[in-house]
mmCIF file of all heavy atoms in Angstrom:
data_model
loop_
_atom_site.group_PDB
_atom_site.id
_atom_site.type_symbol
_atom_site.label_atom_id
_atom_site.label_comp_id
_atom_site.label_asym_id
_atom_site.label_seq_id
_atom_site.Cartn_x
_atom_site.Cartn_y
_atom_site.Cartn_z
ATOM 1 N N LYS A 182 60.366 140.010 -96.400
ATOM 2 C CA LYS A 182 60.286 141.256 -97.175
ATOM 3 C C LYS A 182 61.529 142.113 -96.923
ATOM 4 O O LYS A 182 62.143 142.616 -97.853
ATOM 5 C CB LYS A 182 59.026 142.030 -96.759
ATOM 6 C CG LYS A 182 59.006 143.464 -97.238
ATOM 7 C CD LYS A 182 57.768 144.200 -96.800
ATOM 8 C CE LYS A 182 57.853 144.895 -95.470
ATOM 9 N NZ LYS A 182 58.747 146.062 -95.413
ATOM 10 N N ASN A 183 61.899 142.250 -95.661
ATOM 11 C CA ASN A 183 62.999 143.170 -95.335
ATOM 12 C C ASN A 183 64.373 142.617 -95.707
ATOM 13 O O ASN A 183 65.352 143.364 -95.705
ATOM 14 C CB ASN A 183 62.961 143.535 -93.847
ATOM 15 C CG ASN A 183 61.846 144.528 -93.553
ATOM 16 O OD1 ASN A 183 61.145 144.967 -94.461
ATOM 17 N ND2 ASN A 183 61.673 144.876 -92.291
ATOM 18 N N LEU A 186 64.259 143.138 -99.971
ATOM 19 C CA LEU A 186 64.423 144.495 -100.516
ATOM 20 C C LEU A 186 65.899 144.875 -100.729
ATOM 21 O O LEU A 186 66.269 145.259 -101.843
ATOM 22 C CB LEU A 186 63.710 145.526 -99.632
ATOM 23 C CG LEU A 186 62.170 145.452 -99.675
ATOM 24 C CD1 LEU A 186 61.558 146.413 -98.679
ATOM 25 C CD2 LEU A 186 61.649 145.751 -101.078
ATOM 26 N N ARG A 283 61.897 159.700 -90.104
ATOM 27 C CA ARG A 283 62.715 158.768 -90.858
ATOM 28 C C ARG A 283 63.645 159.436 -91.878
ATOM 29 O O ARG A 283 63.520 159.217 -93.091
ATOM 30 C CB ARG A 283 61.827 157.710 -91.532
ATOM 31 C CG ARG A 283 61.010 156.944 -90.515
ATOM 32 C CD ARG A 283 60.246 155.820 -91.099
ATOM 33 N NE ARG A 283 61.053 154.629 -91.331
ATOM 34 C CZ ARG A 283 60.552 153.485 -91.766
ATOM 35 N NH1 ARG A 283 59.280 153.377 -92.039
ATOM 36 N NH2 ARG A 283 61.334 152.445 -91.955
ATOM 37 N N PRO A 284 64.587 160.236 -91.387
ATOM 38 C CA PRO A 284 65.536 160.861 -92.317
ATOM 39 C C PRO A 284 66.507 159.830 -92.911
ATOM 40 O O PRO A 284 66.539 158.672 -92.462
ATOM 41 C CB PRO A 284 66.302 161.838 -91.417
ATOM 42 C CG PRO A 284 66.160 161.307 -90.041
ATOM 43 C CD PRO A 284 64.873 160.541 -89.987
ATOM 44 N N VAL A 285 67.292 160.258 -93.917
ATOM 45 C CA VAL A 285 68.276 159.344 -94.520
ATOM 46 C C VAL A 285 69.695 159.913 -94.369
ATOM 47 O O VAL A 285 70.586 159.590 -95.134
ATOM 48 C CB VAL A 285 67.950 159.035 -96.008
ATOM 49 C CG1 VAL A 285 66.700 158.199 -96.129
ATOM 50 C CG2 VAL A 285 67.824 160.310 -96.842
ATOM 51 N N ASN A 286 69.881 160.775 -93.361
ATOM 52 C CA ASN A 286 71.184 161.426 -93.186
ATOM 53 C C ASN A 286 72.330 160.441 -92.968
ATOM 54 O O ASN A 286 73.436 160.657 -93.450
ATOM 55 C CB ASN A 286 71.117 162.462 -92.033
ATOM 56 C CG ASN A 286 70.583 161.881 -90.749
ATOM 57 O OD1 ASN A 286 69.720 161.009 -90.762
ATOM 58 N ND2 ASN A 286 71.082 162.340 -89.616
ATOM 59 N N TYR A 287 72.081 159.312 -92.280
ATOM 60 C CA TYR A 287 73.178 158.347 -92.068
ATOM 61 C C TYR A 287 73.569 157.660 -93.371
ATOM 62 O O TYR A 287 74.729 157.345 -93.591
ATOM 63 C CB TYR A 287 72.813 157.287 -91.018
ATOM 64 C CG TYR A 287 72.378 157.847 -89.684
ATOM 65 C CD1 TYR A 287 71.412 157.188 -88.923
ATOM 66 C CD2 TYR A 287 72.928 159.026 -89.181
ATOM 67 C CE1 TYR A 287 71.002 157.704 -87.709
ATOM 68 C CE2 TYR A 287 72.515 159.544 -87.961
ATOM 69 C CZ TYR A 287 71.552 158.880 -87.226
ATOM 70 O OH TYR A 287 71.135 159.380 -86.034
ATOM 71 N N HIS A 288 72.569 157.417 -94.223
ATOM 72 C CA HIS A 288 72.870 156.820 -95.535
ATOM 73 C C HIS A 288 73.786 157.784 -96.297
ATOM 74 O O HIS A 288 74.815 157.390 -96.850
ATOM 75 C CB HIS A 288 71.601 156.647 -96.384
ATOM 76 C CG HIS A 288 70.553 155.760 -95.795
ATOM 77 N ND1 HIS A 288 70.126 154.611 -96.424
ATOM 78 C CD2 HIS A 288 69.818 155.845 -94.656
ATOM 79 C CE1 HIS A 288 69.167 154.043 -95.706
ATOM 80 N NE2 HIS A 288 68.960 154.776 -94.628
ATOM 81 N N LYS A 323 74.367 156.225 -84.960
ATOM 82 C CA LYS A 323 73.254 155.475 -84.354
ATOM 83 C C LYS A 323 73.054 154.230 -85.222
ATOM 84 O O LYS A 323 73.326 154.281 -86.433
ATOM 85 C CB LYS A 323 72.012 156.376 -84.412
ATOM 86 C CG LYS A 323 70.811 155.847 -83.705
ATOM 87 C CD LYS A 323 69.677 156.855 -83.765
ATOM 88 C CE LYS A 323 68.368 156.179 -83.443
ATOM 89 N NZ LYS A 323 67.214 157.008 -83.658
ATOM 90 N N ILE A 324 72.569 153.168 -84.620
ATOM 91 C CA ILE A 324 72.389 151.937 -85.400
ATOM 92 C C ILE A 324 71.223 152.110 -86.373
ATOM 93 O O ILE A 324 70.119 152.463 -85.958
ATOM 94 C CB ILE A 324 72.136 150.740 -84.451
ATOM 95 C CG1 ILE A 324 73.395 150.491 -83.620
ATOM 96 C CG2 ILE A 324 71.726 149.501 -85.231
ATOM 97 C CD1 ILE A 324 73.206 149.506 -82.492
ATOM 98 N N SER A 325 71.485 151.886 -87.658
ATOM 99 C CA SER A 325 70.422 151.998 -88.661
ATOM 100 C C SER A 325 70.496 150.816 -89.615
ATOM 101 O O SER A 325 71.551 150.539 -90.203
ATOM 102 C CB SER A 325 70.571 153.313 -89.436
ATOM 103 O OG SER A 325 69.953 153.205 -90.704
ATOM 104 N N VAL A 326 69.375 150.129 -89.761
ATOM 105 C CA VAL A 326 69.297 148.969 -90.654
ATOM 106 C C VAL A 326 69.578 149.409 -92.092
ATOM 107 O O VAL A 326 70.480 148.907 -92.755
ATOM 108 C CB VAL A 326 67.898 148.309 -90.538
ATOM 109 C CG1 VAL A 326 67.705 147.235 -91.611
ATOM 110 C CG2 VAL A 326 67.689 147.731 -89.148
ATOM 111 N N GLY A 327 68.818 150.392 -92.564
ATOM 112 C CA GLY A 327 68.932 150.812 -93.964
ATOM 113 C C GLY A 327 70.291 151.400 -94.297
ATOM 114 O O GLY A 327 70.867 151.093 -95.345
ATOM 115 N N GLU A 351 70.799 142.972 -87.825
ATOM 116 C CA GLU A 351 69.554 142.232 -88.006
ATOM 117 C C GLU A 351 69.810 141.025 -88.923
ATOM 118 O O GLU A 351 70.654 141.113 -89.836
ATOM 119 C CB GLU A 351 68.520 143.157 -88.657
ATOM 120 C CG GLU A 351 67.596 143.914 -87.716
ATOM 121 C CD GLU A 351 68.292 144.850 -86.727
ATOM 122 O OE1 GLU A 351 69.509 145.057 -86.852
ATOM 123 O OE2 GLU A 351 67.624 145.358 -85.823
ATOM 124 N N THR A 466 60.946 146.499 -83.104
ATOM 125 C CA THR A 466 59.885 147.510 -83.140
ATOM 126 C C THR A 466 58.739 147.046 -84.047
ATOM 127 O O THR A 466 57.585 147.401 -83.823
ATOM 128 C CB THR A 466 60.445 148.875 -83.620
ATOM 129 O OG1 THR A 466 59.360 149.767 -83.809
ATOM 130 C CG2 THR A 466 61.222 148.774 -84.918
ATOM 131 N N ASP A 467 59.064 146.225 -85.043
ATOM 132 C CA ASP A 467 58.027 145.741 -85.961
ATOM 133 C C ASP A 467 57.065 144.749 -85.296
ATOM 134 O O ASP A 467 56.118 144.281 -85.931
ATOM 135 C CB ASP A 467 58.670 145.094 -87.200
ATOM 136 C CG ASP A 467 59.269 146.134 -88.142
ATOM 137 O OD1 ASP A 467 59.030 147.338 -87.925
ATOM 138 O OD2 ASP A 467 59.979 145.742 -89.092
ATOM 139 N N ILE A 489 62.769 152.834 -80.990
ATOM 140 C CA ILE A 489 63.335 152.991 -82.343
ATOM 141 C C ILE A 489 62.690 154.152 -83.105
ATOM 142 O O ILE A 489 63.391 154.984 -83.670
ATOM 143 C CB ILE A 489 63.194 151.671 -83.167
ATOM 144 C CG1 ILE A 489 63.744 150.475 -82.382
ATOM 145 C CG2 ILE A 489 63.874 151.812 -84.539
ATOM 146 C CD1 ILE A 489 65.239 150.491 -82.125
ATOM 147 N N PHE A 490 61.369 154.201 -83.123
ATOM 148 C CA PHE A 490 60.689 155.265 -83.873
ATOM 149 C C PHE A 490 59.927 156.169 -82.914
ATOM 150 O O PHE A 490 59.341 155.699 -81.931
ATOM 151 C CB PHE A 490 59.740 154.672 -84.920
ATOM 152 C CG PHE A 490 60.469 153.992 -86.039
ATOM 153 C CD1 PHE A 490 60.449 152.607 -86.166
ATOM 154 C CD2 PHE A 490 61.205 154.723 -86.960
ATOM 155 C CE1 PHE A 490 61.134 151.979 -87.185
ATOM 156 C CE2 PHE A 490 61.896 154.110 -87.981
ATOM 157 C CZ PHE A 490 61.866 152.733 -88.098
ATOM 158 N N GLU A 491 59.902 157.476 -83.240
ATOM 159 C CA GLU A 491 59.352 158.446 -82.295
ATOM 160 C C GLU A 491 57.835 158.477 -82.258
ATOM 161 O O GLU A 491 57.246 158.992 -81.333
ATOM 162 C CB GLU A 491 59.930 159.844 -82.561
ATOM 163 C CG GLU A 491 59.572 160.461 -83.898
ATOM 164 C CD GLU A 491 60.618 160.215 -85.000
ATOM 165 O OE1 GLU A 491 61.249 159.140 -85.017
ATOM 166 O OE2 GLU A 491 60.774 161.086 -85.843
ATOM 167 N N ARG A 493 55.481 155.708 -83.012
ATOM 168 C CA ARG A 493 54.945 154.426 -83.426
ATOM 169 C C ARG A 493 53.849 153.923 -82.496
ATOM 170 O O ARG A 493 53.821 152.743 -82.127
ATOM 171 C CB ARG A 493 56.063 153.407 -83.568
ATOM 172 C CG ARG A 493 55.670 152.361 -84.582
ATOM 173 C CD ARG A 493 56.755 151.410 -84.937
ATOM 174 N NE ARG A 493 56.376 150.735 -86.192
ATOM 175 C CZ ARG A 493 57.106 149.867 -86.815
ATOM 176 N NH1 ARG A 493 58.277 149.541 -86.347
ATOM 177 N NH2 ARG A 493 56.685 149.303 -87.925
HETATM 178 C C1 UD1 B 181 64.148 148.990 -91.193
HETATM 179 C C2 UD1 B 181 62.978 148.099 -91.542
HETATM 180 C C3 UD1 B 181 61.778 148.434 -90.664
HETATM 181 C C4 UD1 B 181 62.171 148.397 -89.192
HETATM 182 C C5 UD1 B 181 63.399 149.249 -88.931
HETATM 183 C C6 UD1 B 181 63.918 149.120 -87.511
HETATM 184 C C7 UD1 B 181 63.284 147.554 -93.860
HETATM 185 C C8 UD1 B 181 62.839 147.757 -95.269
HETATM 186 N N1 UD1 B 181 62.644 148.265 -92.922
HETATM 187 O O1 UD1 B 181 63.769 150.331 -91.504
HETATM 188 O O2 UD1 B 181 60.744 147.480 -90.928
HETATM 189 O O3 UD1 B 181 61.088 148.886 -88.421
HETATM 190 O O4 UD1 B 181 64.470 148.862 -89.819
HETATM 191 O O5 UD1 B 181 64.191 147.802 -87.221
HETATM 192 O O6 UD1 B 181 64.158 146.756 -93.585
HETATM 193 N N2 UD1 B 181 67.516 157.096 -88.781
HETATM 194 C C9 UD1 B 181 68.048 158.379 -88.889
HETATM 195 N N3 UD1 B 181 68.771 158.664 -90.012
HETATM 196 C C10 UD1 B 181 69.018 157.745 -90.996
HETATM 197 C C11 UD1 B 181 68.483 156.434 -90.851
HETATM 198 C C12 UD1 B 181 67.731 156.144 -89.730
HETATM 199 O O7 UD1 B 181 67.856 159.227 -88.021
HETATM 200 O O8 UD1 B 181 69.698 158.065 -91.972
HETATM 201 C C13 UD1 B 181 66.711 156.753 -87.568
HETATM 202 C C14 UD1 B 181 65.259 156.381 -87.920
HETATM 203 O O9 UD1 B 181 64.432 157.527 -88.029
HETATM 204 C C15 UD1 B 181 64.900 155.498 -86.752
HETATM 205 C C16 UD1 B 181 66.206 154.763 -86.450
HETATM 206 O O10 UD1 B 181 67.242 155.569 -87.011
HETATM 207 O O11 UD1 B 181 64.519 156.264 -85.645
HETATM 208 C C17 UD1 B 181 66.312 153.362 -86.999
HETATM 209 O O12 UD1 B 181 65.923 153.350 -88.358
HETATM 210 P P1 UD1 B 181 66.493 152.301 -89.395
HETATM 211 O O13 UD1 B 181 67.117 151.164 -88.646
HETATM 212 O O14 UD1 B 181 67.317 153.000 -90.398
HETATM 213 O O15 UD1 B 181 65.149 151.780 -90.075
HETATM 214 P P2 UD1 B 181 64.878 151.475 -91.609
HETATM 215 O O16 UD1 B 181 66.100 150.919 -92.249
HETATM 216 O O17 UD1 B 181 64.213 152.652 -92.232
#
Side-chain angles (χ1 to χ4, degrees):
K182 166 181 89 69
N183 285 358
L186 290 175
R283 301 186 80 176
V285 291
N286 53 326
Y287 305 146
H288 299 241
K323 187 177 163 188
I324 294 170
S325 156
V326 171
E351 267 60 9
T466 172
D467 286 351
I489 308 294
F490 291 109
E491 64 266 34
R493 207 172 197 178

